[in-house]
Amino acid sequence: MSTDSAVTGPPTRPATVASITTELRELGVVEGSVLLVHSSLRRLGYVAGGAQAVVDALLAAVGGDGTVVVPAFSAELSDPARWIAPPVPESWWPILRNETPAFDPRVTPTRHMGAIVDCFLRYPDVRRSQHPRDSFAARGPHARAIVDEHRLAYALGEHSPLARIYDLDGWVLLLGVDHGNNTSLHLAEYRADMAVTDAIEEGAPVMIDGRRQWVTYADRSGDDADFATLGEAFAQTGNERGGRVGTGTARLMRQRGIVDFGARWLETHRP
């Protein structure tokens, strides 16, 4: 079924916790699963209770034995020398490196991650990884295993929550967004047999032994320009489930499937 074909006509009533839970179950979300969610509240239409209702529905859909994971990125905790959207004057770089507060998983805000993520972070028992720029947050029995060993270097590679979700045979849910937002495809970049052409030195303020320090680490810049095209190719394999949640489209797939397919696709389609 085409993911777009599921969205037809205006809504007849607001979406609710109960209706979203039902739609997630119809899509294929099962209790006890590990579910990595990328989302846009706006694209789900009118939801009674807004972001809180969506988070409640996600937690209800996976149940008490399931684990919900979200990206909680803080892009401003990075080296200002590399900023382009927008850039800042070079004279500001030392000030930003020396004065920006260190990453704190309890209070550091996300940037452009959306209302659902920001609401999820306030729920009890949510654990957030310690990566200053590319943290993930999780709630459920597997939360600790997914986020606690997130290393600083190569933030979306083999020592990231993405790789731990892969180990657990988790699922990816794109809720109102397409594969351009699918962070698991960055793991596919690491696993593709290609020359690394995007190596960078990144920096961020962190706490070490109770003191704020600016640290540098090895990373890759990543390139998501072709992720949407890659995702459409994956959908044609029949391994992606599409449906409606609220007035938005939803896509559900096994993370192993999209990562393995993505690595092969990148090897073929990227120069």
Side-chain angles (χ1 to χ4, degrees):
M1 176 176 61
S2 166
T3 54
D4 293 332
S5 67
V7 182
T8 56
T12 57
R13 61 190 297 272
T16 64
V17 175
S19 70
I20 294 173
T21 303
T22 297
E23 289 165 341
L24 291 172
R25 293 267 174 79
E26 291 173 347
L27 184 66
V29 176
V30 297
E31 290 193 20
S33 58
V34 173
L35 190 66
L36 172 59
V37 183
H38 302 278
S39 60
S40 168
L41 178 63
R42 177 178 60 84
R43 292 177 182 168
L44 303 184
Y46 196 96
V47 179
Q52 180 182 350
V54 178
V55 174
D56 285 348
L58 290 166
L59 295 172
V62 302
D65 293 330
T67 302
V68 173
V69 190
V70 300
F73 298 167
S74 306
E76 71 278 9
L77 294 190
S78 57
D79 192 339
R82 300 185 58 255
W83 293 357
I84 58 174
V88 294
E90 185 172 352
S91 61
W92 292 17
W93 298 354
I95 300 171
L96 292 168
R97 290 172 182 150
N98 293 328
E99 301 298 336
T100 298
F103 176 75
D104 183 335
R106 299 166 300 176
V107 300
T108 296
T110 66
R111 181 175 174 85
H112 301 316
M113 302 310 298
I116 293 170
V117 169
D118 290 342
C119 182
F120 180 79
L121 287 173
R122 295 194 292 270
Y123 271 59
D125 302 319
V126 168
R127 297 183 67 85
R128 188 177 181 184
S129 69
Q130 291 284 342
H131 201 281
R133 188 193 66 188
D134 294 329
S135 68
F136 287 77
R139 186 178 191 267
H142 293 292
R144 198 179 283 270
I146 291 170
V147 305
D148 278 11
E149 300 301 323
H150 193 178
R151 295 189 187 177
L152 198 60
Y154 305 112
L156 301 178
E158 297 301 337
H159 299 286
S160 73
L162 295 173
R164 302 293 74 76
I165 293 167
Y166 186 99
D167 294 342
L168 291 164
D169 196 16
W171 296 77
V172 174
L173 173 65
L174 304 177
L175 196 56
V177 299
D178 65 18
H179 286 275
N181 296 88
N182 188 348
T183 57
S184 292
L185 293 177
H186 288 296
L187 181 60
E189 287 183 305
Y190 278 89
R191 295 186 173 181
D193 184 13
M194 301 184 301
V196 176
T197 60
D198 59 350
I200 61 171
E201 181 180 85
E202 185 58 277
V206 299
M207 295 297 291
I208 300 177
D209 296 329
R211 295 177 57 246
R212 179 205 179 277
Q213 297 185 41
W214 179 267
V215 299
T216 59
Y217 59 93
D219 209 349
R220 297 176 63 173
S221 60
D223 180 6
D224 60 7
D226 53 3
F227 282 5
T229 302
L230 189 169
E232 291 307 318
F234 177 75
Q236 297 305 311
T237 68
N239 293 312
E240 177 183 293
R241 305 174 186 179
R244 172 172 173 161
V245 172
T247 60
T249 57
R251 304 165 185 247
L252 180 70
M253 68 223 72
R254 286 193 180 274
Q255 196 220 34
R256 288 180 180 176
I258 185 64
V259 169
D260 294 347
F261 177 90
R264 296 191 302 270
W265 189 95
L266 291 169
E267 290 167 359
T268 301
H269 291 86
R270 280 194 184 175

